[in-house]
Amino acid sequence: MKDKKKELTKNQKIVLDFIQKSNKPVKAYSILSNVSKKGLKAPPQVYRALEKLMEVGEIHKIESLNSFVACNSKCIEPNGTIFSICKSCDQTKEVSNTELFKFLSDIKDMNGIELSGYNLELFGTCKTCKT
Amino acid sequence: MKDKKKELTKNQKIVLDFIQKSNKPVKAYSILSNVSKKGLKAPPQVYRALEKLMEVGEIHKIESLNSFVACNSKCIEPNGTIFSICKSCDQTKEVSNTELFKFLSDIKDMNGIELSGYNLELFGTCKTCKT
DNA sequence: AATATTTTGTTATAATATAACATTACCTTC
DNA sequence: GAAGGTAATGTTATATTATAACAAAATATT
């Protein structure tokens, strides 16, 4: 018997678990060294898990940091992500600015391109780093 | 006597020239191999030029493609960039949606982070690739 | 010319990511 | 439960992207 929504596999769970426990975006090779005790010993094992986790919306990639973060809640629109990133400490938060979200989602065409997704990275300095 | 606005150096001009002639985002090692006949033989020479060109706003990095494009016009706000990217052919265009630009620029605080810049990458399929 | 500064050149290596193939686990269906 | 298929994992090697560290040359300043 087959479940409609696929369960995550062992390696995917291990990787997701580590990302969720981190309070910052984490890099692939950092994940690798941190889960090596759980049996993942080579980059492809981590990258395969990451790819799947992104597909199902459990995590996002922060492109400007080459790092990965857990989706902070049910990911309504996995193709549209908004993050605020502290340039000083790399602390990252997923933004839920409804107005902004709506604004971006409503853009249907841009430069003749039919839009299907977006990634917005907002940079600045967080309170902790400013003081 | 010292100019207020610094001229670009030889290597910077070579790299910028190649990027401007390309009609797509180009990768660092692609730049390297294409300007090797002009004397740039090693990655640091290209990366140094790229860093400077980004600083002065002549080019932007497309993070999701690890590629570089020339700024399409006078870069009013180098810390805020908006690009539309065709997922199929990587054709990229800098977006000048005034409303969107204003919206993003008006965000002064997000999650306790004082914003100083942003990078928005819009994904979709261009007309050519759709047909 | 002597000195400082910036730019360039060079070697080596770090960091990020994927290709390709071997092996194991796990379902089915007979 | 054996046979065969599919998905997941393991493994080796290598491709791609980027920077550190130092040497040499060019340029500017005194």
Side-chain angles (χ1 to χ4, degrees):
Chain A
M1 199 249 215
K2 223 197 256 179
D3 262 331
K4 197 56 100 4
K5 68 155 37 178
K6 289 291 289 307
E7 288 287 320
L8 295 177
T9 68
K10 191 191 80 184
N11 286 0
Q12 287 157 13
K13 276 182 207 153
I14 292 170
V15 169
L16 176 58
D17 185 58
F18 176 73
I19 296 174
Q20 286 175 334
K21 278 180 185 151
S22 309
N23 56 351
K24 272 196 185 193
V26 281
K27 287 166 175 290
Y29 276 72
S30 161
I31 296 169
L32 178 58
S33 67
N34 277 282
V35 300
S36 66
K37 44 180 167 295
K38 303 218 170 175
L40 285 84
K41 303 237 176 66
Q45 297 177 286
V46 169
Y47 280 100
R48 279 194 290 236
L50 290 172
E51 189 181 16
K52 188 61 185 300
L53 292 169
M54 285 193 284
E55 243 176 68
V56 301
E58 288 284 358
I59 65 170
H60 302 294
K61 181 174 186 180
I62 310 292
E63 293 287 355
S64 62
L65 301 176
N66 293 319
S67 299
F68 302 85
V69 285
C71 184
N72 67 352
S73 63
K74 298 280 157 300
C75 209
I76 317 156
E77 165 65 280
N79 295 325
T81 56
I82 311 174
F83 289 96
S84 64
I85 303 164
C86 176
K87 284 186 295 186
S88 172
C89 70
D90 290 351
Q91 197 76 37
T92 297
K93 283 187 184 166
E94 198 162 357
V95 171
S96 329
N97 182 320
T98 318
E99 205 185 344
L100 178 52
F101 185 87
K102 189 171 181 337
F103 194 108
L104 291 170
S105 300
D106 282 351
I107 298 172
K108 285 282 171 289
D109 186 273
M110 185 69 87
N111 287 340
I113 285 186
E114 186 179 78
L115 294 178
S116 58
Y118 61 83
N119 177 48
L120 172 57
E121 300 182 1
L122 301 158
F123 306 101
T125 310
C126 73
K127 273 174 192 156
T128 313
C129 287
K130 237 188 330 192
T131 51
Chain B
M1 199 250 212
K2 222 197 258 179
D3 262 330
K4 196 58 94 13
K5 69 155 37 180
K6 290 290 288 309
E7 286 289 321
L8 294 178
T9 68
K10 190 191 78 184
N11 286 0
Q12 287 156 15
K13 276 182 207 152
I14 292 170
V15 169
L16 176 57
D17 185 57
F18 176 73
I19 296 175
Q20 285 174 337
K21 277 179 186 151
S22 308
N23 56 352
K24 271 199 190 195
V26 281
K27 287 167 175 289
Y29 276 73
S30 161
I31 296 169
L32 178 57
S33 68
N34 276 283
V35 300
S36 66
K37 44 180 168 294
K38 303 217 168 171
L40 284 85
K41 302 238 176 65
Q45 296 177 287
V46 169
Y47 279 100
R48 279 194 290 239
L50 290 172
E51 188 181 18
K52 188 61 186 299
L53 292 169
M54 285 192 283
E55 244 176 67
V56 301
E58 289 284 359
I59 64 169
H60 302 293
K61 182 175 186 181
I62 309 292
E63 293 287 353
S64 62
L65 300 177
N66 293 319
S67 298
F68 303 85
V69 285
C71 184
N72 68 351
S73 64
K74 298 282 158 296
C75 207
I76 317 156
E77 164 67 278
N79 295 325
T81 55
I82 310 175
F83 288 97
S84 64
I85 303 163
C86 176
K87 285 186 296 184
S88 171
C89 70
D90 289 351
Q91 197 77 35
T92 297
K93 284 187 182 165
E94 198 162 358
V95 171
S96 328
N97 181 320
T98 318
E99 205 185 344
L100 178 52
F101 184 87
K102 189 172 183 332
F103 193 107
L104 291 170
S105 300
D106 282 352
I107 299 174
K108 284 283 170 288
D109 186 272
M110 186 68 85
N111 287 341
I113 286 185
E114 188 178 79
L115 294 177
S116 61
Y118 60 83
N119 178 47
L120 172 56
E121 300 181 1
L122 301 159
F123 306 101
T125 311
C126 74
K127 271 174 194 154
T128 313
C129 287
K130 236 187 332 192
T131 52

